[in-house]
Amino acid sequence: MNIDGGVVVGVDTSAASLRALKAAAEEAECRGAPLHVVRAWSIRTAPRPADCPPNAVPSIDAFQQEVERETAKLVAAKLGENPKVKIEIHAVHSPSPQALLAASRGADLLVVGHRGRGGFAGLMLGSVAEQCVRHASCPVLVVRPSL
């Protein structure tokens, strides 16, 4: 993954990451910068390729392509078919914190979601957001749920 400037956002299928995607797109538009959508995945979290027979194990390349397709669909559903910013999708076979921290090395801003659990627990960051805040090479925006 080669990122040279712009806004990076980590996405999965959670509501928190979709809020982060929207906020990141707004930031990218304000800055006139590209939006880099990073989807970290593992065999356990990747969608199964639809064209793979039931008793077969898909290849890593097949999983990679399916993650890229699903992520593109997710982005289009949230930002529309003609977003106001240039979007690059990066599907990375890696744990989320490592993928996002690597992307932060070339980014102007890293945006991550926070699930929020209410009360005292809601004051604490999740493990991915916390690692990004502590170790990212650029500023980090943590998008919290609306009240």
Side-chain angles (χ1 to χ4, degrees), residues 45-129:
T45 64
R48 183 175 175 81
D51 60 352
C52 184
N55 294 328
V57 177
S59 69
I60 293 294
D61 288 340
F63 274 122
Q64 175 77 20
Q65 291 170 3
E66 190 65 21
V67 171
E68 289 170 358
R69 271 192 296 277
E70 288 293 319
T71 305
K73 285 172 40 180
L74 186 77
V75 169
K78 188 65 177 176
L79 302 181
E81 292 295 328
N82 298 309
K84 298 176 182 178
V85 296
K86 178 184 176 200
I87 297 175
E88 294 184 32
I89 294 175
H90 307 272
V92 184
H93 185 205
S94 168
S96 298
Q98 287 86 332
L100 294 171
L101 292 174
S104 79
R105 291 186 196 112
D108 298 320
L109 177 69
L110 172 60
V111 181
V112 294
H114 176 265
R115 287 184 170 91
R117 292 183 170 78
F120 179 74
L123 298 175
M124 300 180 343
L125 294 177
S127 62
V128 173

Side-chain angles (χ1 to χ4, degrees), residues 3-8 24-36 83-88 106-109:
I3 294 177
D4 187 22
V7 177
V8 170
E26 291 169 2
E27 280 291 329
E29 183 180 353
C30 288
R31 296 165 182 254
L35 176 61
H36 297 275
K84 298 176 182 178
V85 296
K86 178 184 176 200
I87 297 175
E88 294 184 32
D108 298 320
L109 177 69

